[in-house]
Amino acid sequence: MTSTEALLEQIRSGPSGPHIAAVFDFDGTLIDGYSAAALYSHRFRNFDIGPGEMVRLVRASRGPTLTEERFVALVEEGLRSLTGRTEEDVLELGERLFTQGIAGTLFHPAWRLVKAHQRQGHTVAIATSATQLQVAPLARELGVEHVLCTRLATEGGLLTGKVDGRSLWGPGKIAAVRAFAAEHGVELAASHAYANGDEDVPLLDGVGHPHPVNPQPELAVEAAQRGWPVLRFASTKSGRFDPVPALRTAALFGTLFASAGAGIALGALNGDRRQGVDLATSMFSALAGPLADIDVEVIGEEHAWSHRPAVFFINHQSTLIDFLVATRVIRSGFTAVAKQEVKRMPVVGQLFDLAGVAFLDRSNRARAVEALKPAVETLRAGTSVVIAPEGTRSLTPRVGEFKKGGFHLASQAGVPIVPIVVRNAGEIMWRNARTARAGTVEVVVHPPISTDGWTSADIAEQSRSVRELYLDTLDHWPVPSSTGAQPEN
């Protein structure tokens, strides 16, 4: 077995160039489980699947490894319900399934491996027996151009319910990869492949650097016999009847409401709302993590205290976990900028309003600019501001384009920007999750970036530069030092 970090270091220190490929299986390798489950759940909710088909699917999943022919028969049985629909309709369905659930099953270590190969200039491809409706959204998020998958046949622009050409199951997958390698000048003997299924032995055997990922039983035996180092990714899922995630999430929200209540009471008693907000954020940062079994590991924490007030940037994956990170790192003396929709959230919206959060209507630029004016005055009065420069939560670790509002805000107030880079908030609680997982959120706080002398013309370039800092940090995560400055009490 090998660790993800060790493999990442091997990739970074190894040869580069497009003649080396990195081929990733999809189901069970890039994501935890099978994307077809999301499609069948959709069909089941729409009463579009019969008991006979369900029985055959269960038998297939529990039986021996499928032949290529039997796999195609099962796929075409499932595709029958899509007959007569346009390819555009089906791809739109795939986007919805990705947003609703598939994105939450992403293996974040696999994401980091893809990005490491891309940084080395390797030719990255996804090779999967799944169809384009299942794999296309994640390929886009990963920035993977080459997708080898089972294609859906069309006639007159409409789906026929059949597979177009050979499926990419077992022998079909390695055949497609060999054809791709010949077309793109790829040397398979120098290339990498990642896969989990028993049927993927031919794929792994066909490259110089095979990487079984959470291998199924037959693949695990083959890997042991051949000396292939195995990668183990932690599951993204909890047991259906496991009450712990719900209790953990209840602890997070309970602590949030209790902290807010204590802060409101103190503010009312002392006539000082700022003091009440500081009590609430400090109390939440101290209690929420331990109660929910979520640790926050911070590198460069001293940079959060060297220049106050400041505009703190945080990449945005999970509202609740990002708030936990903000309170843990910044502790006190801050408020935030949030989108208008948050204000309408029950309880949370009211609490944020009491804390002086500036709410932006991103659909109206004039209103958004107007809403930032109180935040400028807040900064000039000595209170820091937290903002998500992407503007909205990401479904995956992908860093979106940065909005320019935070840069204008810091420049107008004459305060520095402090970048807070969060690596894995989405692993703990992804955007559409209802419950939180236990784990460690990893954070890097960079030194403050001065905005002295900035003009409006500088903002676009600064936006690109700071976003690149986030991308570089996520791709080359620093090693924690044994010592570090601590904030003053």
Side-chain angles (χ1 to χ4, degrees), residues 333-346:
F334 74 96
T335 185
V337 173
K339 58 185 180 180
Q340 187 68 30
E341 290 88 335
V342 175
K343 190 173 184 179
R344 295 192 288 268
M345 292 174 63

Side-chain angles (χ1 to χ4, degrees), residues 32-88:
D32 188 1
Y34 295 91
S35 54
L39 178 58
Y40 278 104
S41 294
H42 169 79
R43 291 182 58 201
F44 189 80
R45 289 193 301 270
N46 288 276
F47 305 101
D48 193 29
I49 186 169
E53 185 178 351
M54 286 298 296
V55 169
R56 286 188 288 275
L57 283 169
V58 171
R59 285 177 177 172
S61 67
R62 294 180 177 177
T65 303
L66 292 170
T67 64
E68 191 175 347
E69 294 75 16
R70 182 64 185 137
F71 172 77
V72 170
L74 280 172
V75 169
E76 291 186 339
E77 185 171 23
L79 291 176
R80 200 171 296 141
S81 66
L82 301 178
T83 302
R85 298 181 65 172
T86 66
E87 190 170 16
E88 290 75 14

Side-chain angles (χ1 to χ4, degrees), residues 104-173:
T105 65
L106 170 70
F107 282 128
H108 286 230
W111 175 284
R112 292 197 280 273
L113 288 165
V114 169
K115 292 303 171 185
H117 283 294
Q118 290 174 331
R119 282 274 179 166
Q120 288 294 97
H122 296 167
T123 299
V124 178
I126 296 174
T128 175
S129 57
T131 65
Q132 59 262 45
L133 87 90
Q134 295 156 264
V135 70
L138 182 59
R140 183 198 64 244
E141 286 282 312
L142 283 164
V144 173
E145 176 186 357
H146 306 293
V147 178
L148 314 178
C149 63
T150 299
R151 294 288 170 180
L152 306 178
T154 60
E155 188 174 304
L158 303 177
L159 270 63
T160 66
K162 298 292 184 179
V163 168
D164 183 12
R166 190 176 185 181
S167 76
L168 270 70
W169 178 266
K173 185 180 292 185

Side-chain angles (χ1 to χ4, degrees), residues 307-370:
H307 290 77
R308 298 281 188 109
V311 175
F312 291 90
F313 280 10
I314 184 168
N315 50 315
H316 199 25
Q317 293 183 49
S318 171
T319 297
L320 192 57
I321 304 304
D322 292 347
F323 184 62
L324 175 61
V325 169
T327 57
R328 165 66 177 79
V329 173
I330 309 172
R331 305 284 178 89
S332 60
F334 74 96
T335 185
V337 173
K339 58 185 180 180
Q340 187 68 30
E341 290 88 335
V342 175
K343 190 173 184 179
R344 295 192 288 268
M345 292 174 63
V347 183
V348 174
Q350 289 87 335
L351 294 177
F352 276 26
D353 197 20
L354 286 171
V357 170
F359 295 100
L360 300 187
D361 181 0
R362 296 192 185 276
S363 64
N364 188 309
R365 187 178 183 279
R367 290 180 185 172
V369 171
E370 190 67 23

Side-chain angles (χ1 to χ4, degrees), residues 436-455:
R437 300 172 62 203
T440 300
V441 185
E442 297 169 296
V443 181
V444 171
V445 185
H446 283 283
I449 299 170
S450 174
T451 62
D452 289 347
W454 281 13
T455 66

Side-chain angles (χ1 to χ4, degrees), residues 7-24 112-126 142-146 180-181 184-194 208-209 211:
L7 180 54
L8 285 168
E9 185 54 38
Q10 290 175 25
I11 295 166
R12 291 166 184 152
S13 61
S16 60
H19 67 287
I20 298 173
V23 180
F24 288 81
R112 292 197 280 273
L113 288 165
V114 169
K115 292 303 171 185
H117 283 294
Q118 290 174 331
R119 282 274 179 166
Q120 288 294 97
H122 296 167
T123 299
V124 178
I126 296 174
L142 283 164
V144 173
E145 176 186 357
H146 306 293
F180 174 82
H184 290 83
V186 164
E187 300 173 15
L188 289 179
S191 297
H192 301 253
Y194 300 80
H209 301 283
H211 305 287

